[in-house]
Structure formats: structure tokens, C-alpha cells
Amino acid sequence: DVKVTQSSRYLVKRTGEKVFLECVQDMDHENMFWYRQDPGLGLRLIYFSYDVKMKEKGDIPEGYSVSREKKERFSLILESASTNQTSMYLCASRPGTPLSTEAFFGQGTRLTVV
Amino acid sequence: AQSVTQLDSQVPVFEEAPVELRCNYSSSVSVYLFWYVQYPNQGLQLLLKYLSGSTLVESINGFEAEFNKSQTSFHLRKPSVHISDTAEYFCAVKKGYSTLTFGKGTMLLVSP
């Protein structure tokens, strides 16, 4: 089975802190994604990566950055956390091909910024 | 860009009743369509997917969805729900090499 592991289930951080959310997948997938999930808004794509050191902005990249130094790991960085970044963050991965393959999700990290 | 509309934010239903969760997408070209389920305090799991071929696809736990190209719909149905089906359901569309676009989700609430 594909396993996508997010390092923390729950995090509480202070406004202005630099926050790192880590995601690791064990299936040698090329593509990795970060979404945030908010009630009534569904999942919104923050950033994705289709290869090591490659990244693309999603729909809501403002206030976030990402790092992909190794194929299995994709990190989401909140440069200066703000209360409006309180949310559930979901990491996902999928193979580069075939194009029809679904994405596999981690358990999520619920981040609270106080 | 493609988009996904889930018409109901919440669907309450009694146990053993049938249910339909509606999903419409906007795209004029071939797409891949997915339904994901999220149980409380968990990540998303794939429920079923439509890639090509038969327009009716089924999951292992009794759900089915029908791809209707003329109505650009991919509604999810189950003839008899269980309490354990209580979860949030997300419809998603993927076109070509692009990423998944999700709907806002439908919360299915099954009561005894």
C-alpha cells in the first residue's frame, strides 16, 4: 500500500513563527501536492511539485513556500504564520504516469496559529 | 480552467435509505473523475474513479457513480446507507496533466 506520512497530526504555533510541515511518501512518486482544507471551501491547492527541486504554484500560494530536496519528501513552509493560516493541511502524492492515476493522501496536519 | 460543483453541502438521511450526492463539472474535453471520502479525523481515501469505458463505476462498499457527458455530471449513489457511511465526500476532476480540482464537499449524515 502507498503510504503518505505527515509528521504531525496537530500543531499549535504562535503568530509570526516560521512553521515547517513535513510530508514523506514511500512509493517513489514523482508528483507531490499540498492542499489546505477549510469548512465550506473544500480542498484548495497551495503548491505542487512534479520532480525534485521543481515546484509550481497552486491556487493559493500566498504566504507559503515549499521545498523538495529529495524525491520522497515535500515540505510546506509558512514563513511567518498568521491566524488566517489556521487550517487542516493535506499532503498527497501520485505517480507521474499514467495520467489517470489517483492521488494518495496523508492523514492531515491540523495547524492552529494563535 | 475546469471546476467542480457539489450542489449540497450537507445531506441528512436515515439508515437503510437510498442517497444521491450530486456533482457537476465544467469541461468540454475528456476528463478523469474521482470521488474521495473523508471519515472523521482522517485523510482522504479514493472511493471510485471514472477514466473511460463504462459510464457506471462501482466501489467495493456499495457506492456507484455514473458519468453523464451530456449533463457533465458524476453523481454518487448508494441504494441503502449505513451509519458507518457518515463522512464527507469530495468530487474531483483531473484534465490532462493538470492537478486535481476538488468540489467543496458534501457531508453525509446517516442517522438511525
Side-chain angles (χ1 to χ4, degrees), chain A residues 49-56 66-71 73-74:
Chain A
S49 168
Y50 51 89
D51 203 349
V52 176
K53 296 191 186 293
M54 306 301 287
K55 61 184 180 184
E56 294 285 343
V66 290
S67 172
R68 191 153 180 215
E69 296 297 317
K70 294 184 178 181
K71 192 174 186 179
R73 185 180 297 270
F74 192 36

Side-chain angles (χ1 to χ4, degrees), chain B:
Chain B
Q2 68 267 31
S3 67
V4 179
T5 303
Q6 291 185 245
L7 296 164
D8 305 296
S9 60
Q10 210 172 78
V11 173
V13 64
F14 289 109
E15 194 173 19
E16 297 183 7
V19 71
E20 178 180 81
L21 307 183
R22 296 179 291 172
C23 172
N24 287 90
Y25 66 94
S26 64
S27 177
S28 59
V29 298
S30 297
V31 296
Y32 302 125
L33 293 159
F34 305 84
W35 275 100
Y36 281 83
V37 60
Q38 185 179 36
Y39 297 105
N41 298 315
Q42 294 188 26
L44 273 70
Q45 304 171 33
L46 181 71
L47 190 60
L48 46 76
K49 61 183 178 182
Y50 170 77
L51 307 177
S52 63
S54 173
T55 57
L56 187 66
V57 291
E58 298 178 353
S59 72
I60 57 173
N61 57 354
F63 282 93
E64 63 180 30
E66 185 164 16
F67 170 61
N68 188 319
K69 188 174 182 179
S70 62
Q71 298 185 5
T72 60
S73 68
F74 191 54
H75 301 331
L76 183 70
R77 301 184 182 98
K78 189 171 186 180
S80 176
V81 294
H82 300 128
I83 295 283
S84 59
D85 293 323
T86 294
E88 189 155 24
Y89 292 80
F90 292 92
C91 182
V93 62
K94 180 175 175 297
K95 187 178 80 172
Y97 196 70
S98 65
T99 58
L100 281 174
T101 299
F102 286 86
K104 294 184 178 181
T106 298
M107 187 69 205
L108 176 63
L109 298 167
V110 183
S111 54

